[in-house]
Amino acid sequence: MSRLIVFNKPYGVLSQFTAEGRWQGLSDYLALPGVYAAGRLDADSEGVLILTDDGALQSRIADPRHKLPKTYWAQVEGIPDEAALTTLRQGVDLGDFVTRPAAARVIDEPAGLWPRNPPIRFRAAIPTRWIELVISEGKNRQVRRMTAKIGFPTLRLIRAAVGEWTLGELQPGEWKELHV
């Protein structure tokens, strides 16, 4: 039976066990020998990170060929209009590649959301909104690049789900183990 860990990765933590520079590593939160991250989540992003001891499962989760949906909540600067959301839904030309079409919608601030440490920058004259994006790939800083390209830079990014695995009630730094 394979081990599968759903971890709520806090801001400032790398998707590896070893710390580097100012960033913490997973070993600061998890003492689980033999499990490895299935995919990555940038240090300045928060939320679901899957770890497993099963190499084949790790590959299926991380490899974009399997098109496992990843759901993100992005707090963006400004108020995206329908045209901006349509661009996300059709795919965004980021210069080095065109993203696959994404599901995109404006949402209310997610219920039960924890405060980020450190807090995002706040500018009184510029409102923010939350959008939910569901993508089936995960290239380097893709969601941040997508929202910036349409004119709404991401201030805070939380991965809410990878496939069927969600944050649920997990707080930053907490994890749960599932047997698959």
Side-chain angles (χ1 to χ4, degrees):
M1 184 172 293
S2 300
R3 293 179 80 188
L4 185 130
I5 309 298
V6 179
F7 176 58
N8 185 351
K9 189 190 84 58
Y11 177 90
V13 177
L14 297 170
S15 296
Q16 63 189 37
F17 281 90
T18 307
E20 280 184 20
R22 65 184 179 131
W23 304 118
Q24 292 180 295
L26 296 174
S27 61
D28 293 317
Y29 296 89
L30 300 161
L32 300 170
V35 298
Y36 302 94
R40 301 185 57 78
L41 190 57
D42 294 330
D44 55 356
S45 298
E46 307 162 71
V48 173
L49 183 66
I50 304 295
L51 298 101
T52 183
D53 62 355
D54 182 327
L57 178 60
Q58 182 182 21
S59 177
R60 278 196 310 277
I61 293 169
D63 194 319
R65 289 179 298 191
H66 297 289
K67 298 185 171 101
L68 192 65
K70 296 169 185 74
T71 303
Y72 292 87
W73 298 328
Q75 184 178 15
V76 297
E77 192 172 84
I79 302 174
D81 56 14
E82 194 57 34
L85 296 173
T86 297
T87 300
L88 295 170
R89 292 175 189 136
Q90 293 173 343
V92 180
D93 186 346
L94 296 177
D96 52 339
F97 73 100
V98 177
T99 67
R100 292 180 182 152
R105 65 187 182 112
V106 173
I107 61 171
D108 292 331
E109 179 175 309
L113 191 61
W114 56 89
R116 195 185 89 173
N117 185 20
I120 64 163
R121 72 176 185 266
F122 176 75
R123 298 197 286 187
I126 301 175
T128 67
R129 277 294 179 272
W130 285 90
I131 60 173
E132 180 181 80
L133 280 171
V134 181
I135 63 174
S136 59
E137 55 196 343
K139 299 192 191 294
N140 188 34
R141 303 188 71 76
Q142 180 176 333
V143 170
R144 292 177 187 280
R145 292 178 65 198
M146 289 170 72
T147 63
K149 182 73 175 194
I150 63 164
F152 300 94
T154 294
L155 301 172
R156 185 175 183 191
L157 186 61
I158 300 168
R159 184 159 58 194
V162 174
E164 66 188 78
W165 303 294
T166 66
L167 280 174
E169 300 297 318
L170 291 176
Q171 293 299 301
E174 293 181 347
W175 56 275
K176 64 183 174 187
E177 182 169 359
L178 307 172
H179 294 280
V180 292

